[in-house]
Amino acid sequence: MGENDSIGAIARAVRDACRLVVLTGAGVSAESGTPTFRDAMTGLWASFNPEQLATPEAFDRDPELVTRWYDHRRLGCMACEPNPGHRALAELERRVVGSGRSFLLLTQNVDRLHQRAGSNAVVELHGTIMVWRCTKTGREVMPPPTPMSEYPTRTEAGGLLRPCVVWFGEMLPESALEAALSSLGECDVFLSVGTSALVQPAAGFVFEARRAGAVTCEINPQDTAITGWIDHAARGPSGRILPAIVEAAFGDGAAA
Ligand code: OAD
């Protein structure tokens, strides 16, 4: 199936969806300049070993290093702008919800670019780097768009500030997982965008969708761990493919 055929098939699916669930990963933010995790040479992991930074043990061992790294990433995300792929997903939500159908965006990303692009129905499976909390009281704060004044940052309660992201070895926010599984159990179209689908539980979402009888779609320049269970795969960057799908589904030249 050629790229245009895949775009047409996905466009028809999202146009006719009654309960659309979208899953995104780092690839949807790649064209905004935020690094993915596993892409060779460009991914975050080309420059550091995740176990050194993205675990509670790493934070306990070296809170200064971990705080510096996450504050650097937080400011990096703030300096990025949503790309046409983010905006197309926000338009897709408006179109689906505006016609009385249900839409939910499940993201593994912590950069909040979906919300900055106008998406509202967003579940942050891995939390967000934009909100930090006190390790002693759990009180949450949203640090200003400037570097933190000290690393690590102490709180009035005598704790430390840590980012509200899910670290390796930590559980996902229960409410996020419940919302995701509930929506997947009822969806009729599932669209996976920009994720390698290697990390659970997101890697298993396509099976939940298939169990519900959904049409499954994928947008990624490459095959992924779930491509074998995908009905329609569009191979290319989401910043180009997603706007083409929304245009084909709802634009003047809407898919017949
Ligand atoms: P990965 O880096 O594992 O995968 C990024 C995916 O995006 C790959 O499949 C790329 O082919 C694809 N990609 C690259 N550029 C793209 C583009 N322009 N358009 C569309 N796709 C593109 O990132 P994730 O799958 O998000 O978890 O990783 C999932 C989780 O693994 C992350 O949330 C993180 C990590 O462990 C935690 O930190 C808890």
Side-chain angles (χ1 to χ4, degrees), residues 15-87:
R15 180 197 60 197
D16 300 341
C18 292
R19 295 170 303 285
L20 172 59
V21 173
V22 181
L23 169 67
T24 62
V28 80
S29 294
E31 291 154 272
S32 295
T34 58
T36 60
F37 284 86
R38 294 173 180 86
D39 283 344
M41 302 317 288
T42 57
L44 277 174
W45 293 358
S47 50
F48 86 98
N49 177 335
E51 280 65 36
Q52 287 169 346
L53 288 169
T55 65
E57 294 75 17
F59 184 73
D60 292 342
R61 186 171 58 243
D62 192 343
E64 178 185 347
L65 174 67
V66 175
T67 305
R68 281 185 185 281
W69 191 79
Y70 274 94
D71 196 32
H72 168 72
R73 277 186 66 197
R74 175 179 73 91
L75 296 167
C77 290
M78 284 183 162
C80 293
E81 291 298 324
N83 65 61
H86 293 109
R87 289 196 290 275

Side-chain angles (χ1 to χ4, degrees), residues 83-145:
N83 65 61
H86 293 109
R87 289 196 290 275
L89 286 174
E91 175 63 16
L92 182 55
E93 174 183 347
R94 282 190 289 271
R95 294 280 188 165
V96 170
V97 173
S99 55
R101 298 170 288 155
S102 76
F103 177 96
L104 191 59
L105 171 52
L106 312 174
T107 187
Q108 299 171 98
N109 300 339
V110 298
D111 57 27
R112 291 230 156 141
L113 287 175
H114 285 305
Q115 292 91 332
R116 286 174 55 195
S119 289
N120 295 303
V122 180
V123 173
E124 294 176 316
L125 296 165
H126 293 166
T128 178
I129 205 168
M130 299 303 171
V131 177
W132 292 48
R133 65 174 183 263
C134 172
T135 54
K136 194 166 186 179
T137 63
R139 182 172 167 271
E140 294 184 354
V141 296
M142 190 174 281

